[in-house]
CSV table of all heavy atoms in Angstrom, one decimal:
chain,number,residue,atom,x,y,z
N,1,MET,N,-0.5,-4.0,-3.3
N,1,MET,CA,0.2,-3.2,-2.2
N,1,MET,C,1.4,-4.0,-1.7
N,1,MET,O,1.5,-5.2,-1.9
N,1,MET,CB,-0.8,-3.0,-1.0
N,1,MET,CG,-1.6,-4.2,-0.6
N,1,MET,SD,-3.1,-3.7,0.4
N,1,MET,CE,-2.3,-3.5,2.0
N,2,ARG,N,2.4,-3.3,-1.3
N,2,ARG,CA,3.7,-3.9,-0.9
N,2,ARG,C,4.1,-3.3,0.4
N,2,ARG,O,3.9,-2.1,0.7
N,2,ARG,CB,4.7,-3.6,-2.0
N,2,ARG,CG,6.0,-4.4,-1.8
N,2,ARG,CD,7.0,-4.1,-2.8
N,2,ARG,NE,6.7,-4.7,-4.1
N,2,ARG,CZ,7.2,-5.9,-4.5
N,2,ARG,NH1,7.9,-6.6,-3.7
N,2,ARG,NH2,6.9,-6.4,-5.7
N,3,ALA,N,4.8,-4.1,1.2
N,3,ALA,CA,5.1,-3.7,2.6
N,3,ALA,C,6.4,-2.9,2.6
N,3,ALA,O,7.3,-3.1,1.8
N,3,ALA,CB,5.3,-4.9,3.5
N,4,GLU,N,6.5,-2.0,3.6
N,4,GLU,CA,7.7,-1.3,3.9
N,4,GLU,C,8.1,-1.8,5.3
N,4,GLU,O,7.4,-1.8,6.2
N,4,GLU,CB,7.5,0.2,4.0
N,4,GLU,CG,8.8,0.9,4.5
N,4,GLU,CD,8.5,2.4,4.8
N,4,GLU,OE1,7.4,2.9,4.4
N,4,GLU,OE2,9.3,3.1,5.4
N,5,TYR,N,9.4,-2.4,5.3
N,5,TYR,CA,9.9,-2.8,6.6
N,5,TYR,C,10.2,-1.7,7.5
N,5,TYR,O,10.7,-0.6,7.1
N,5,TYR,CB,11.1,-3.7,6.4
N,5,TYR,CG,10.8,-5.1,5.8
N,5,TYR,CD1,11.4,-5.5,4.6
N,5,TYR,CD2,9.8,-5.9,6.4
N,5,TYR,CE1,11.2,-6.8,4.1
N,5,TYR,CE2,9.5,-7.1,5.8
N,5,TYR,CZ,10.2,-7.6,4.6
N,5,TYR,OH,9.9,-8.8,4.1
N,6,GLY,N,10.2,-1.9,8.8
N,6,GLY,CA,10.7,-1.0,9.8
N,6,GLY,C,12.2,-0.9,9.8
N,6,GLY,O,12.8,-1.6,9.1
N,7,ASP,N,12.7,0.0,10.7
N,7,ASP,CA,14.1,0.0,10.8
N,7,ASP,C,14.7,-1.3,11.3
N,7,ASP,O,14.2,-1.9,12.2
N,7,ASP,CB,14.5,1.1,11.9
N,7,ASP,CG,14.1,2.5,11.4
N,7,ASP,OD1,14.0,2.7,10.2
N,7,ASP,OD2,13.9,3.3,12.3
N,8,GLY,N,15.7,-1.8,10.5
N,8,GLY,CA,16.2,-3.1,10.9
N,8,GLY,C,15.8,-4.2,9.8
N,8,GLY,O,16.3,-5.3,9.9
N,9,GLY,N,15.1,-3.8,8.8
N,9,GLY,CA,14.8,-4.7,7.7
N,9,GLY,C,13.7,-5.7,8.1
N,9,GLY,O,12.9,-5.5,9.0
N,10,PRO,N,13.7,-6.8,7.4
N,10,PRO,CA,12.6,-7.8,7.5
N,10,PRO,C,12.5,-8.3,9.0
N,10,PRO,O,11.4,-8.6,9.4
N,10,PRO,CB,13.1,-9.0,6.6
N,10,PRO,CG,14.0,-8.3,5.6
N,10,PRO,CD,14.6,-7.1,6.3
N,11,ALA,N,13.6,-8.3,9.7
N,11,ALA,CA,13.5,-8.8,11.1
N,11,ALA,C,12.6,-7.8,12.0
N,11,ALA,O,12.1,-8.2,13.0
N,11,ALA,CB,14.9,-8.8,11.7
N,12,ALA,N,12.5,-6.6,11.5
N,12,ALA,CA,11.7,-5.6,12.3
N,12,ALA,C,10.2,-5.7,12.0
N,12,ALA,O,9.4,-5.2,12.7
N,12,ALA,CB,12.2,-4.2,12.0
N,13,GLY,N,9.9,-6.5,10.9
N,13,GLY,CA,8.5,-6.7,10.6
N,13,GLY,C,8.0,-5.5,9.7
N,13,GLY,O,8.7,-4.6,9.4
N,14,VAL,N,6.7,-5.7,9.3
N,14,VAL,CA,6.1,-4.7,8.4
N,14,VAL,C,5.8,-3.4,9.2
N,14,VAL,O,5.1,-3.5,10.2
N,14,VAL,CB,4.8,-5.2,7.8
N,14,VAL,CG1,4.1,-4.2,7.0
N,14,VAL,CG2,5.2,-6.4,6.9
N,15,LYS,N,6.2,-2.3,8.7
N,15,LYS,CA,6.0,-1.0,9.3
N,15,LYS,C,4.8,-0.3,8.7
N,15,LYS,O,3.9,0.3,9.4
N,15,LYS,CB,7.2,-0.1,9.2
N,15,LYS,CG,7.0,1.3,9.6
N,15,LYS,CD,8.3,2.1,9.3
N,15,LYS,CE,8.2,3.6,9.5
N,15,LYS,NZ,9.3,4.3,8.9
N,16,LEU,N,4.7,-0.4,7.3
N,16,LEU,CA,3.6,0.3,6.6
N,16,LEU,C,3.4,-0.4,5.3
N,16,LEU,O,4.2,-1.0,4.7
N,16,LEU,CB,4.2,1.7,6.3
N,16,LEU,CG,3.3,2.9,6.0
N,16,LEU,CD1,2.3,3.2,7.2
N,16,LEU,CD2,4.1,4.1,5.7
N,17,TRP,N,2.1,-0.3,4.8
N,17,TRP,CA,1.8,-0.8,3.5
N,17,TRP,C,1.6,0.3,2.5
N,17,TRP,O,1.0,1.3,2.8
N,17,TRP,CB,0.5,-1.6,3.6
N,17,TRP,CG,0.6,-2.9,4.3
N,17,TRP,CD1,0.4,-3.2,5.7
N,17,TRP,CD2,1.1,-4.2,3.8
N,17,TRP,NE1,0.7,-4.5,6.0
N,17,TRP,CE2,1.1,-5.1,4.8
N,17,TRP,CE3,1.5,-4.6,2.5
N,17,TRP,CZ2,1.5,-6.4,4.7
N,17,TRP,CZ3,1.9,-5.9,2.3
N,17,TRP,CH2,1.9,-6.8,3.4
N,18,HIS,N,2.2,0.1,1.4
N,18,HIS,CA,2.1,1.1,0.3
N,18,HIS,C,1.4,0.4,-0.9
N,18,HIS,O,1.3,-0.8,-1.0
N,18,HIS,CB,3.5,1.5,-0.2
N,18,HIS,CG,4.3,2.3,0.8
N,18,HIS,ND1,4.3,3.6,0.9
N,18,HIS,CD2,5.1,1.8,1.8
N,18,HIS,CE1,5.1,4.0,1.9
N,18,HIS,NE2,5.6,2.9,2.5
N,19,MET,N,0.8,1.3,-1.7
N,19,MET,CA,0.1,0.8,-2.9
N,19,MET,C,1.1,0.9,-4.1
N,19,MET,O,1.7,2.0,-4.3
N,19,MET,CB,-1.1,1.7,-3.2
N,19,MET,CG,-2.0,1.1,-4.3
N,19,MET,SD,-2.6,-0.5,-4.0
N,19,MET,CE,-3.8,-0.2,-2.7
N,20,VAL,N,1.2,-0.2,-4.8
N,20,VAL,CA,2.0,-0.2,-6.0
N,20,VAL,C,1.2,-0.6,-7.2
N,20,VAL,O,0.2,-1.3,-7.0
N,20,VAL,CB,3.3,-1.1,-5.8
N,20,VAL,CG1,4.2,-0.7,-4.7
N,20,VAL,CG2,2.8,-2.6,-5.6
N,21,ARG,N,1.6,-0.3,-8.4
N,21,ARG,CA,1.0,-0.7,-9.6
N,21,ARG,C,1.6,-2.1,-10.0
N,21,ARG,O,2.8,-2.1,-10.2
N,21,ARG,CB,1.1,0.3,-10.7
N,21,ARG,CG,0.4,1.6,-10.4
N,21,ARG,CD,0.6,2.6,-11.6
N,21,ARG,NE,-0.1,3.8,-11.4
N,21,ARG,CZ,0.4,4.8,-10.8
N,21,ARG,NH1,1.6,4.8,-10.3
N,21,ARG,NH2,-0.3,6.0,-10.6
N,22,GLY,N,0.7,-3.1,-10.1
N,22,GLY,CA,1.2,-4.4,-10.5
N,22,GLY,C,2.2,-4.9,-9.5
N,22,GLY,O,2.0,-4.9,-8.3
N,23,THR,N,3.4,-5.3,-10.1
N,23,THR,CA,4.5,-5.8,-9.2
N,23,THR,C,5.6,-4.8,-9.1
N,23,THR,O,6.7,-5.2,-8.8
N,23,THR,CB,5.0,-7.1,-9.8
N,23,THR,OG1,5.4,-6.9,-11.1
N,23,THR,CG2,3.9,-8.2,-9.8
N,24,GLU,N,5.4,-3.6,-9.4
N,24,GLU,CA,6.4,-2.6,-9.3
N,24,GLU,C,7.0,-2.5,-7.8
N,24,GLU,O,6.3,-2.8,-6.9
N,24,GLU,CB,5.9,-1.2,-9.7
N,24,GLU,CG,5.7,-1.1,-11.2
N,24,GLU,CD,5.3,0.3,-11.6
N,24,GLU,OE1,5.4,1.2,-10.8
N,24,GLU,OE2,4.8,0.5,-12.7
N,25,ALA,N,8.2,-2.1,-7.7
N,25,ALA,CA,8.8,-1.9,-6.4
N,25,ALA,C,8.7,-0.5,-5.9
N,25,ALA,O,9.1,-0.2,-4.8
N,25,ALA,CB,10.3,-2.4,-6.4
N,26,VAL,N,8.3,0.4,-6.7
N,26,VAL,CA,8.1,1.8,-6.3
N,26,VAL,C,6.6,2.1,-6.0
N,26,VAL,O,5.8,1.9,-6.9
N,26,VAL,CB,8.6,2.8,-7.4
N,26,VAL,CG1,8.5,4.2,-6.9
N,26,VAL,CG2,10.1,2.5,-7.7
N,27,ALA,N,6.4,2.6,-4.8
N,27,ALA,CA,5.0,2.9,-4.4
N,27,ALA,C,4.5,4.1,-5.1
N,27,ALA,O,5.2,4.9,-5.7
N,27,ALA,CB,4.9,3.1,-2.9
N,28,MET,N,3.2,4.3,-5.1
N,28,MET,CA,2.5,5.5,-5.7
N,28,MET,C,3.0,6.8,-5.1
N,28,MET,O,3.1,7.8,-5.7
N,28,MET,CB,1.0,5.4,-5.5
N,28,MET,CG,0.4,4.4,-6.5
N,28,MET,SD,-1.4,4.4,-6.3
N,28,MET,CE,-1.9,3.5,-7.8
N,29,CYS,N,3.5,6.7,-3.8
N,29,CYS,CA,3.9,7.9,-3.1
N,29,CYS,C,5.4,8.2,-3.5
N,29,CYS,O,5.9,9.2,-3.0
N,29,CYS,CB,3.8,7.8,-1.6
N,29,CYS,SG,4.8,6.5,-0.9
N,30,GLY,N,6.0,7.3,-4.2
N,30,GLY,CA,7.4,7.5,-4.6
N,30,GLY,C,8.4,6.7,-3.9
N,30,GLY,O,9.6,6.7,-4.2
N,31,ARG,N,8.0,6.1,-2.8
N,31,ARG,CA,9.0,5.4,-2.0
N,31,ARG,C,9.4,4.1,-2.6
N,31,ARG,O,8.5,3.3,-3.2
N,31,ARG,CB,8.4,5.1,-0.6
N,31,ARG,CG,9.3,4.3,0.3
N,31,ARG,CD,8.7,4.1,1.7
N,31,ARG,NE,8.8,5.4,2.4
N,31,ARG,CZ,9.9,5.8,3.1
N,31,ARG,NH1,11.0,5.0,3.2
N,31,ARG,NH2,9.9,6.9,3.8
N,32,GLU,N,10.7,3.8,-2.6
N,32,GLU,CA,11.2,2.6,-3.2
N,32,GLU,C,11.1,1.5,-2.1
N,32,GLU,O,11.5,1.7,-1.0
N,32,GLU,CB,12.6,2.7,-3.7
N,32,GLU,CG,12.7,3.6,-4.9
N,32,GLU,CD,14.1,3.6,-5.5
N,32,GLU,OE1,14.8,2.5,-5.3
N,32,GLU,OE2,14.5,4.6,-6.1
N,33,LEU,N,10.5,0.3,-2.5
N,33,LEU,CA,10.3,-0.8,-1.6
N,33,LEU,C,11.2,-1.9,-2.0
N,33,LEU,O,11.5,-2.1,-3.1
N,33,LEU,CB,8.9,-1.2,-1.5
N,33,LEU,CG,7.9,0.0,-1.2
N,33,LEU,CD1,6.5,-0.4,-1.4
N,33,LEU,CD2,8.1,0.5,0.2
N,34,GLY,N,11.5,-2.7,-1.0
N,34,GLY,CA,12.3,-3.9,-1.3
N,34,GLY,C,11.6,-4.9,-2.2
N,34,GLY,O,10.4,-5.1,-2.1
N,35,GLY,N,12.4,-5.4,-3.2
N,35,GLY,CA,11.8,-6.3,-4.2
N,35,GLY,C,11.4,-7.6,-3.5
N,35,GLY,O,10.5,-8.4,-4.0
N,36,ASP,N,11.9,-7.9,-2.3
N,36,ASP,CA,11.6,-9.1,-1.6
N,36,ASP,C,10.5,-8.8,-0.5
N,36,ASP,O,10.2,-9.7,0.3
N,36,ASP,CB,12.8,-9.7,-1.0
N,36,ASP,CG,13.5,-8.7,0.0
N,36,ASP,OD1,13.2,-7.5,0.0
N,36,ASP,OD2,14.3,-9.2,0.8
N,37,ALA,N,10.0,-7.6,-0.4
N,37,ALA,CA,9.0,-7.3,0.6
N,37,ALA,C,7.7,-8.0,0.3
N,37,ALA,O,7.4,-8.2,-0.9
N,37,ALA,CB,8.8,-5.8,0.7
N,38,PRO,N,6.9,-8.3,1.3
N,38,PRO,CA,5.7,-9.0,1.1
N,38,PRO,C,4.7,-8.2,0.3
N,38,PRO,O,4.7,-6.9,0.4
N,38,PRO,CB,5.1,-9.2,2.5
N,38,PRO,CG,6.3,-9.0,3.5
N,38,PRO,CD,7.2,-8.1,2.7
N,39,VAL,N,3.8,-8.8,-0.4
N,39,VAL,CA,2.8,-8.1,-1.2
N,39,VAL,C,1.4,-8.7,-0.8
N,39,VAL,O,1.3,-9.8,-0.3
N,39,VAL,CB,3.0,-8.3,-2.7
N,39,VAL,CG1,4.3,-7.6,-3.2
N,39,VAL,CG2,3.0,-9.8,-3.1
N,40,ARG,N,0.4,-7.8,-1.0
N,40,ARG,CA,-0.9,-8.3,-0.7
N,40,ARG,C,-1.8,-7.7,-1.8
N,40,ARG,O,-1.5,-6.8,-2.5
N,40,ARG,CB,-1.4,-7.7,0.7
N,40,ARG,CG,-0.7,-8.5,1.8
N,40,ARG,CD,-1.3,-8.0,3.1
N,40,ARG,NE,-2.7,-8.3,3.3
N,40,ARG,CZ,-3.2,-8.6,4.5
N,40,ARG,NH1,-2.5,-8.5,5.6
N,40,ARG,NH2,-4.5,-8.9,4.6
N,41,GLU,N,-3.0,-8.3,-1.9
N,41,GLU,CA,-4.0,-7.8,-2.9
N,41,GLU,C,-4.4,-6.4,-2.5
N,41,GLU,O,-4.5,-6.0,-1.4
N,41,GLU,CB,-5.2,-8.7,-2.9
N,41,GLU,CG,-5.0,-10.1,-3.4
N,41,GLU,CD,-4.6,-10.1,-4.8
N,41,GLU,OE1,-5.1,-9.3,-5.6
N,41,GLU,OE2,-3.7,-10.9,-5.2
N,42,ALA,N,-4.7,-5.6,-3.6
N,42,ALA,CA,-5.1,-4.2,-3.4
N,42,ALA,C,-6.4,-4.1,-2.6
N,42,ALA,O,-6.7,-3.2,-1.9
N,42,ALA,CB,-5.3,-3.5,-4.7
N,43,SER,N,-7.2,-5.2,-2.7
N,43,SER,CA,-8.5,-5.2,-1.9
N,43,SER,C,-8.3,-5.3,-0.4
N,43,SER,O,-9.2,-5.1,0.3
N,43,SER,CB,-9.3,-6.4,-2.4
N,43,SER,OG,-8.7,-7.6,-2.3
N,44,ASP,N,-7.1,-5.6,0.0
N,44,ASP,CA,-6.8,-5.7,1.4
N,44,ASP,C,-6.5,-4.3,2.0
N,44,ASP,O,-6.2,-4.2,3.2
N,44,ASP,CB,-5.6,-6.6,1.7
N,44,ASP,CG,-6.0,-8.1,1.6
N,44,ASP,OD1,-7.2,-8.3,1.7
N,44,ASP,OD2,-5.1,-8.9,1.4
N,45,TRP,N,-6.5,-3.3,1.2
N,45,TRP,CA,-6.1,-1.9,1.6
N,45,TRP,C,-7.1,-1.5,2.8
N,45,TRP,O,-8.3,-1.6,2.7
N,45,TRP,CB,-6.3,-0.9,0.5
N,45,TRP,CG,-5.8,0.5,0.8
N,45,TRP,CD1,-6.5,1.5,1.2
N,45,TRP,CD2,-4.4,0.9,0.8
N,45,TRP,NE1,-5.7,2.6,1.4
N,45,TRP,CE2,-4.4,2.3,1.2
N,45,TRP,CE3,-3.2,0.3,0.6
N,45,TRP,CZ2,-3.2,3.0,1.3
N,45,TRP,CZ3,-2.0,1.0,0.7
N,45,TRP,CH2,-2.1,2.3,1.1
N,46,GLY,N,-6.4,-1.1,3.9
N,46,GLY,CA,-7.2,-0.6,5.0
N,46,GLY,C,-7.7,-1.7,6.0
N,46,GLY,O,-8.3,-1.5,7.0
N,47,LYS,N,-7.4,-3.0,5.6
N,47,LYS,CA,-7.8,-4.1,6.4
N,47,LYS,C,-6.7,-4.8,7.1
N,47,LYS,O,-6.9,-5.8,7.8
N,47,LYS,CB,-8.5,-5.1,5.5
N,47,LYS,CG,-9.7,-4.6,4.8
N,47,LYS,CD,-10.3,-5.6,3.8
N,47,LYS,CE,-11.4,-5.0,3.0
N,47,LYS,NZ,-11.9,-6.0,1.9
N,48,THR,N,-5.4,-4.2,7.0
N,48,THR,CA,-4.3,-4.9,7.6
N,48,THR,C,-4.1,-4.4,9.0
N,48,THR,O,-4.6,-3.3,9.4
N,48,THR,CB,-3.0,-4.5,6.8
N,48,THR,OG1,-2.9,-3.1,6.7
N,48,THR,CG2,-3.1,-5.1,5.4
N,49,ALA,N,-3.4,-5.2,9.8
N,49,ALA,CA,-3.1,-4.8,11.2
N,49,ALA,C,-2.2,-3.7,11.2
N,49,ALA,O,-2.2,-2.8,12.1
N,49,ALA,CB,-2.5,-6.0,11.9
N,50,GLU,N,-1.3,-3.6,10.2
N,50,GLU,CA,-0.3,-2.5,10.1
N,50,GLU,C,-1.0,-1.3,9.4
N,50,GLU,O,-2.0,-1.5,8.7
N,50,GLU,CB,0.9,-2.9,9.4
N,50,GLU,CG,1.6,-4.1,10.0
N,50,GLU,CD,1.0,-5.5,9.5
N,50,GLU,OE1,0.2,-5.4,8.6
N,50,GLU,OE2,1.5,-6.5,10.0
N,51,LEU,N,-0.4,-0.2,9.6
N,51,LEU,CA,-0.9,1.0,9.0
N,51,LEU,C,-0.7,1.0,7.5
N,51,LEU,O,0.2,0.4,7.0
N,51,LEU,CB,-0.2,2.3,9.6
N,51,LEU,CG,-0.5,2.6,11.0
N,51,LEU,CD1,0.3,3.7,11.5
N,51,LEU,CD2,-2.0,2.9,11.2
N,52,CYS,N,-1.5,1.8,6.8
N,52,CYS,CA,-1.4,2.0,5.3
N,52,CYS,C,-0.9,3.4,5.1
N,52,CYS,O,-1.3,4.3,5.8
N,52,CYS,CB,-2.7,1.7,4.6
N,52,CYS,SG,-3.2,0.0,4.6
N,53,CYS,N,-0.1,3.6,4.1
N,53,CYS,CA,0.5,4.9,3.7
N,53,CYS,C,-0.6,5.8,3.3
N,53,CYS,O,-1.4,5.5,2.4
N,53,CYS,CB,1.5,4.7,2.6
N,53,CYS,SG,2.1,6.2,2.0
N,54,HIS,N,-0.7,7.0,4.0
N,54,HIS,CA,-1.8,7.9,3.7
N,54,HIS,C,-1.7,8.5,2.3
N,54,HIS,O,-2.7,8.7,1.6
N,54,HIS,CB,-1.8,9.1,4.7
N,54,HIS,CG,-2.4,8.7,6.0
N,54,HIS,ND1,-2.6,9.5,7.1
N,54,HIS,CD2,-2.9,7.4,6.4
N,54,HIS,CE1,-3.1,8.8,8.1
N,54,HIS,NE2,-3.3,7.6,7.7
N,55,THR,N,-0.4,8.8,1.9
N,55,THR,CA,-0.2,9.3,0.6
N,55,THR,C,-0.6,8.3,-0.5
N,55,THR,O,-1.3,8.7,-1.5
N,55,THR,CB,1.3,9.7,0.4
N,55,THR,OG1,1.7,10.6,1.5
N,55,THR,CG2,1.5,10.5,-0.9
N,56,CYS,N,-0.2,7.1,-0.4
N,56,CYS,CA,-0.6,6.1,-1.3
N,56,CYS,C,-2.2,6.0,-1.4
N,56,CYS,O,-2.8,5.8,-2.4
N,56,CYS,CB,0.0,4.7,-1.0
N,56,CYS,SG,1.7,4.6,-1.5
N,57,GLY,N,-2.8,6.0,-0.2
N,57,GLY,CA,-4.2,5.9,-0.1
N,57,GLY,C,-4.9,7.0,-0.9
N,57,GLY,O,-5.9,6.8,-1.6
N,58,ALA,N,-4.4,8.2,-0.8
N,58,ALA,CA,-5.0,9.3,-1.5
N,58,ALA,C,-4.9,9.1,-3.0
N,58,ALA,O,-5.9,9.3,-3.7
N,58,ALA,CB,-4.3,10.6,-1.1
N,59,TYR,N,-3.7,8.7,-3.5
N,59,TYR,CA,-3.5,8.4,-4.9
N,59,TYR,C,-4.5,7.3,-5.4
N,59,TYR,O,-5.1,7.4,-6.4
N,59,TYR,CB,-2.1,8.0,-5.2
N,59,TYR,CG,-1.2,9.2,-5.3
N,59,TYR,CD1,-0.1,9.3,-4.4
N,59,TYR,CD2,-1.3,10.2,-6.3
N,59,TYR,CE1,0.8,10.4,-4.5
N,59,TYR,CE2,-0.4,11.3,-6.3
N,59,TYR,CZ,0.6,11.3,-5.4
N,59,TYR,OH,1.5,12.4,-5.5
N,60,TYR,N,-4.5,6.3,-4.6
N,60,TYR,CA,-5.2,5.1,-4.9
N,60,TYR,C,-6.7,5.3,-5.1
N,60,TYR,O,-7.4,5.0,-6.0
N,60,TYR,CB,-4.9,4.0,-3.9
N,60,TYR,CG,-5.7,2.7,-4.2
N,60,TYR,CD1,-5.5,2.0,-5.4
N,60,TYR,CD2,-6.5,2.2,-3.2
N,60,TYR,CE1,-6.2,0.8,-5.6
N,60,TYR,CE2,-7.2,1.0,-3.4
N,60,TYR,CZ,-7.0,0.3,-4.6
N,60,TYR,OH,-7.7,-0.9,-4.9
N,61,LEU,N,-7.3,6.1,-4.1
N,61,LEU,CA,-8.7,6.3,-4.1
N,61,LEU,C,-9.0,7.3,-5.2
N,61,LEU,O,-10.1,7.3,-5.7
N,61,LEU,CB,-9.1,6.9,-2.7
N,61,LEU,CG,-9.1,5.9,-1.6
N,61,LEU,CD1,-9.5,6.6,-0.3
N,61,LEU,CD2,-10.0,4.7,-1.9
N,62,ARG,N,-8.1,8.2,-5.6
N,62,ARG,CA,-8.4,9.1,-6.7
N,62,ARG,C,-8.4,8.4,-8.0
N,62,ARG,O,-9.2,8.7,-8.9
N,62,ARG,CB,-7.3,10.2,-6.7
N,62,ARG,CG,-7.7,11.4,-7.5
N,62,ARG,CD,-6.8,12.5,-7.3
N,62,ARG,NE,-5.4,12.3,-7.6
N,62,ARG,CZ,-4.4,13.1,-7.3
N,62,ARG,NH1,-4.6,14.1,-6.5
N,62,ARG,NH2,-3.2,12.8,-7.6
N,63,GLU,N,-7.6,7.3,-8.1
N,63,GLU,CA,-7.6,6.6,-9.4
N,63,GLU,C,-8.7,5.6,-9.5
N,63,GLU,O,-9.1,5.2,-10.5
N,63,GLU,CB,-6.2,5.8,-9.5
N,63,GLU,CG,-5.1,6.8,-9.8
N,63,GLU,CD,-3.9,6.0,-10.3
N,63,GLU,OE1,-4.0,4.8,-10.6
N,63,GLU,OE2,-2.8,6.6,-10.4
N,64,THR,N,-9.2,5.1,-8.3
N,64,THR,CA,-10.2,4.1,-8.3
N,64,THR,C,-11.4,4.6,-7.4
N,64,THR,O,-11.6,4.1,-6.3
N,64,THR,CB,-9.7,2.8,-7.8
N,64,THR,OG1,-9.1,3.0,-6.5
N,64,THR,CG2,-8.7,2.2,-8.8
N,65,PRO,N,-12.1,5.7,-7.8
N,65,PRO,CA,-13.1,6.4,-7.0
N,65,PRO,C,-14.2,5.4,-6.6
N,65,PRO,O,-14.9,5.7,-5.6
N,65,PRO,CB,-13.6,7.5,-7.8
N,65,PRO,CG,-13.2,7.2,-9.2
N,65,PRO,CD,-11.9,6.3,-9.1
N,66,TYR,N,-14.5,4.4,-7.4
N,66,TYR,CA,-15.6,3.5,-7.0
N,66,TYR,C,-15.4,2.8,-5.7
N,66,TYR,O,-16.4,2.5,-5.1
N,66,TYR,CB,-15.8,2.5,-8.2
N,66,TYR,CG,-14.6,1.5,-8.3
N,66,TYR,CD1,-14.6,0.3,-7.6
N,66,TYR,CD2,-13.6,1.8,-9.2
N,66,TYR,CE1,-13.5,-0.5,-7.8
N,66,TYR,CE2,-12.6,1.0,-9.4
N,66,TYR,CZ,-12.5,-0.2,-8.7
N,66,TYR,OH,-11.5,-1.1,-8.9
N,67,LEU,N,-14.1,2.6,-5.3
N,67,LEU,CA,-13.9,2.0,-4.0
N,67,LEU,C,-14.4,2.8,-2.9
N,67,LEU,O,-14.8,2.3,-1.9
N,67,LEU,CB,-12.4,1.8,-3.9
N,67,LEU,CG,-11.8,0.6,-4.6
N,67,LEU,CD1,-10.3,0.5,-4.4
N,67,LEU,CD2,-12.5,-0.7,-4.1
N,68,ALA,N,-14.4,4.2,-3.1
N,68,ALA,CA,-14.7,5.1,-2.0
N,68,ALA,C,-16.2,4.9,-1.7
N,68,ALA,O,-16.6,5.1,-0.5
N,68,ALA,CB,-14.5,6.5,-2.4
N,69,THR,N,-17.0,4.5,-2.7
N,69,THR,CA,-18.4,4.3,-2.4
N,69,THR,C,-18.8,3.0,-1.7
N,69,THR,O,-19.9,2.8,-1.3
N,69,THR,CB,-19.2,4.4,-3.8
N,69,THR,OG1,-18.8,3.3,-4.6
N,69,THR,CG2,-18.9,5.7,-4.5
N,70,GLU,N,-17.8,2.1,-1.7
N,70,GLU,CA,-18.1,0.8,-1.0
N,70,GLU,C,-18.0,0.9,0.5
N,70,GLU,O,-18.5,0.1,1.2
N,70,GLU,CB,-17.1,-0.2,-1.5
N,70,GLU,CG,-17.3,-0.6,-3.0
N,70,GLU,CD,-16.3,-1.7,-3.4
N,70,GLU,OE1,-15.4,-2.0,-2.6
N,70,GLU,OE2,-16.4,-2.2,-4.5
N,71,HIS,N,-17.4,2.0,0.9
N,71,HIS,CA,-17.2,2.1,2.4
N,71,HIS,C,-18.0,3.4,2.9
N,71,HIS,O,-17.6,4.5,2.6
N,71,HIS,CB,-15.7,2.3,2.7
N,71,HIS,CG,-14.9,1.2,2.2
N,71,HIS,ND1,-14.9,-0.1,2.7
N,71,HIS,CD2,-14.0,1.1,1.1
N,71,HIS,CE1,-14.1,-0.9,1.9
N,71,HIS,NE2,-13.5,-0.1,1.0
N,72,PRO,N,-19.1,3.2,3.6
N,72,PRO,CA,-19.8,4.3,4.0
N,72,PRO,C,-19.1,5.2,5.0
N,72,PRO,O,-18.2,4.8,5.6
N,72,PRO,CB,-21.0,3.6,4.7
N,72,PRO,CG,-20.6,2.3,5.1
N,72,PRO,CD,-19.6,1.9,4.0
B,1,ZN,ZN1,3.2,5.1,0.2
């Protein structure tokens, strides 16, 4: 997963987390993210203080349905 900065760039802090494949800079929802934006492990999805992109979440859970069963 890779961060999207808020308005104002890195100084504004992380606004939203998107899911990306590998180290790509384009999120599953199609949004282009900064190549220098922070990244986190996919297993951190839903556990961050910041919000996660709903569209990316839908794609991600559809591709990895086993994860859905881990969370009651
Ligand atoms: Zn997204």
